Amino acid sequence: MSRKPTRDDVARLAGTSTAVVSYVVNGGPRRVREETRQRVLRAIGELGYRPNALAKSLSHGRTDLYALLVPDLANPYLAALAQALEHEFFARGKVLLVGDSHDDPDRETLILEAFLRQQIAGLVWYGVNQPLPLDLLEESHVPAVLLNQPTGPPQNGSRAVGLSGRPGIWSVSADERLEGRLATEHLVDHGRRTIAIVAGPNGRRNARERVRGWEKALRRADLPSSAPIHVPFTREGGRASVDHVLELGADAVVASNEMQAIGLLNGLHLRGVRVPEDVAVIGINGTPLAEYASPSLSMVEMPAPAVADRIARALNGEGDAGGAAIAPYVVARASCGCGDVSERIEDGAP
Amino acid sequence: MSRKPTRDDVARLAGTSTAVVSYVVNGGPRRVREETRQRVLRAIGELGYRPNALAKSLSHGRTDLYALLVPDLANPYLAALAQALEHEFFARGKVLLVGDSHDDPDRETLILEAFLRQQIAGLVWYGVNQPLPLDLLEESHVPAVLLNQPTGPPQNGSRAVGLSGRPGIWSVSADERLEGRLATEHLVDHGRRTIAIVAGPNGRRNARERVRGWEKALRRADLPSSAPIHVPFTREGGRASVDHVLELGADAVVASNEMQAIGLLNGLHLRGVRVPEDVAVIGINGTPLAEYASPSLSMVEMPAPAVADRIARALNGEGDAGGAAIAPYVVARASCGCGDVSERIEDGAP
DNA sequence: GTGAAAGCGCTAACAT
DNA sequence: ATGTTAGCGCTTTCAC
């Protein structure tokens, strides 16, 4: 009574063959007479039989394992994404493996290799570098969705597009430029004239895109643009940018992600600068956390659940992965001067 | 050249038997002549051979899969824990599976079953209910660490203890009572006289423990205690508790977790109450996020990396899982009135 | 030091 | 409708 019951035990107890047990457990590929079915089911219940997914996968040639590889699981945006992906995958009977590269390309490779050894059925990869070293991935035949990888011409919102290299590698990425533009335009609408931007590390492509959107909005509004303030995508970075922001005499700032925005808010608070009275703040890629900053943070958002849905569809080859874009939108709260209004402002076309 | 190379291919190319390839790949259990070893290694390199962990596990009877089951992956504390666990497990050649129960016991069971089907080698379970339904777990022989499950008499700090039921089930839990006491004592030291507590949902055992610690500290200081304010362990809950706090005329508040503390801070901000001048705030189970609240949040902490280390040791049967306790400590920041000092205050004995 | 072969638990093509 | 059986890729005992 110690060894875990196997399919053989079930078959023996039910007085059938092992194949029939398989058919019952999997609901196919053959039909089974109802009476037999019941007998098998009863045997399964009696033994407390639990199918071994390992054996199944080995035999069937396909696992139930999906993997997520990110640079920082503690980043609220990525944690929200992990949560949303787990939700989507679980709904499809898959289970989620996570890896945290700590922003280290070498570690990233090691993790990826571990995932491939596990014969993952799909990968979601928020990579450290741009572009990513795809060799490992390409020689495997694992379907993958790349995040944070700008591909081709800028797109409206987010979509899943096939990526050159090999079929089965997709890219789901936000239109960072649009996000930057939306954020900036909102500040312009508030009548701000000197709008600074806290950007990501110099040279990172996705950092650059957000800056481009900011520039575009300023140009359209006929406002001057200053030099982007390049700091890491961290709370520390945001806080450290405060001196620059004040030197520029800015009356508004766009922060390139939520962690930076929170750090910035804290930095301004420490300097005794009032938000939004003295300086208005808006960030990009908000999470539910933003609402609870003090003052609450206005953000451009593209909710993790929608992104996760898109990713899951792409990996499962469900319908039009490249279909309608997910549009980012402004969630106006207090930090931009919208008072306590927490309305959702939809975007028009570019 | 399309099929993935298997151990057979390697053996053929190296001109050896499959067993030898195994010995080389696993560094055992038999020795292999150096020359042969090199030949095998070369064949592996040439073919780009990657061992199939599935087959290995099926044969070997043990997977490299550890699983983490939590009620809310987006909770910064749990996200930090997930990150720290991934780190520990990866260092041991394991890979991390995550499940999010969304605070739903039924979902929790389904996820657990999925994990068991995957033949996980270990489980870390931050359960929804207290006590947890351990039947599923007990009939499996999976080593497990239960978090958030008060066991036996209160302990100093956190430790891994064997849990009745069956061997291989451990509990690593904070001494919630001590945490509550430390937080409260710190406020007392600041000269606060009316110290309220934002507790967790009424009836939850871990919520109760923190309240007990608070009561004890007040009693010792000869201060009156009010009724605990029971709200969910969420930011919404913290924010919603503000009216109660103000009604009580409190000049200080202990929040039972970080999300509540952040919500409370925001609620006070919205009411125009100054922190810490009018009301001092301290929370329990802080993460790096707390430092960036405005004002920065004083917290009782028990860092995720230390907890994760303890958990990993327990699961790996490494040394004294039940050894020295992890002591929670106060990280004093601005919200309690410690100014911008960010010193770490160690705790004495109970 | 190395090879042959019997499993690990399950799937599915092929029989009946 | 159900039984038989050959794998899936690897580990490991047992021979040599």
Side-chain angles (χ1 to χ4, degrees), chain A residues 73-94:
Chain A
L73 249 185
N75 174 334
Y77 185 77
L78 296 178
L81 182 64
Q83 179 176 50
L85 281 173
E86 191 271 353
H87 194 88
E88 292 293 338
F89 292 161
F90 183 73
R92 292 169 171 79
K94 309 289 186 184

Side-chain angles (χ1 to χ4, degrees), chain A residues 7 22 26 49 52 59-60:
Chain A
R7 186 206 48 178
S22 253
N26 303 331
Y49 168 71
N52 182 327
S59 169
H60 181 255

